[in-house]
Amino acid sequence: MSQWSEKLVEGCALRQRNLLDAAAALVRPGGCLTYSTCTFAPEEDEGIIARFLDSHPDFALDPIHLP
């Protein structure tokens, strides 16, 4: 926690957006793209997914069913 800052979260979120956009370009038609993080910051999780889906209408969320 000592290294956490809003600026760090913003930088990580930008990196995540760029990585996800680059990964999307490599997915074959009908393929699957999995996005996972180890952060609790919504800017890097829900915010990234919402932005990604808004700008990539050919992708959709798949529900995960856990026991």
Side-chain angles (χ1 to χ4, degrees):
M1 285 299 293
S2 64
Q3 295 180 10
W4 183 91
S5 71
E6 288 185 28
K7 186 173 182 168
L8 176 66
V9 171
E10 290 172 10
C12 289
L14 176 61
R15 183 180 311 112
Q16 295 296 343
R17 285 194 303 268
N18 291 336
L19 287 169
L20 197 52
D21 286 340
L26 302 174
V27 177
R28 293 183 201 185
C32 179
L33 175 60
T34 301
Y35 178 73
S36 176
T37 69
C38 61
T39 182
F40 56 85
E43 297 88 349
E44 292 182 68
D45 289 326
E46 296 91 336
I48 296 296
I49 296 300
R51 182 210 149 270
F52 178 81
L53 292 174
D54 283 346
S55 62
H56 295 85
D58 47 329
F59 284 84
L61 291 178
D62 272 344
I64 296 175
H65 302 286
L66 301 174

